[in-house]
Amino acid sequence: MTDGREAAPTRRRVLIAEDEALIRLDLREMLIEEGYDVVGEAGDGEAALRLAEQLRPDLVILDIKMPIMDGLTAAENIAGSRLAPVVILTAFSQRDLVERARAAGAMAYLVKPFQKSDLVPAIEIAAARFAEMTALESEVASLADRLETRKLVERAKGALMTTYSMTEPQAFRWIQRTAMDHRMTMRDVADRIIAETAAEPEANS
């Protein structure tokens, strides 16, 4: 039974934070051309965090170097509060900061100068990883179990991608859907996939 509401629109709502106005304008145009809704813009990390809390966008794009609060600190707050997936903008000279960005909770990054063709994959990877993370967290309470479950799910995804030529998001959705259909945990499904794919080469030898 439905509640009478229309299905949510498929266009992702994006918040941009970049202190250089020309880059921000360029990014906005690229996003709109690719079918995204730009719901907010900020010139510093503090404003970005405030807007993320207010607007609850589907994704936040953050430049690393910004005044008041830098992009890494903003990313840490946004990702830590599970407000939205984060894509970090970085220059070639900042490649050493990519690991810090990952540690801060960024799901993907774009290296400047970037092309429009780089934008969509980064956004979709970030959104897919964020969805995985929140799904796993809702299933597993303790941090230790969550890390172990994540490792097993990663292995199971790899097995599905190799055996059935699935993409990473397809493999995760298959695991998630199978768990729901059979009332199992994703960890149990992952265990079964790993066991079955390991057994297949032996059966064929």
Side-chain angles (χ1 to χ4, degrees), residues 67-82:
I68 306 176
M69 179 190 289
D70 66 32
L72 292 177
T73 306
E76 204 162 18
N77 281 280
I78 292 166
S81 302
R82 301 294 180 260

Side-chain angles (χ1 to χ4, degrees), residues 98-171:
V98 168
E99 283 308 314
R100 278 185 58 203
R102 285 197 184 121
M107 296 288 159
Y109 65 95
L110 277 168
V111 178
K112 297 177 187 175
F114 54 86
Q115 305 296 317
K116 193 161 66 168
S117 57
D118 302 324
L119 194 58
V120 175
I123 288 173
E124 296 308 318
I125 286 167
R129 285 177 178 164
F130 185 78
E132 283 186 27
M133 184 179 68
T134 51
L136 287 172
E137 284 180 354
S138 67
E139 181 179 289
V140 184
S142 81
L143 180 62
D145 285 347
R146 201 181 298 160
L147 291 171
E148 187 58 32
T149 297
R150 192 169 183 81
K151 281 184 203 166
L152 287 168
V153 169
E154 286 296 321
R155 280 182 62 197
K157 278 196 306 183
L160 289 173
M161 289 159 70
T162 302
T163 309
Y164 300 105
S165 301
M166 292 183 183
T167 64
E168 191 174 344
Q170 283 171 343

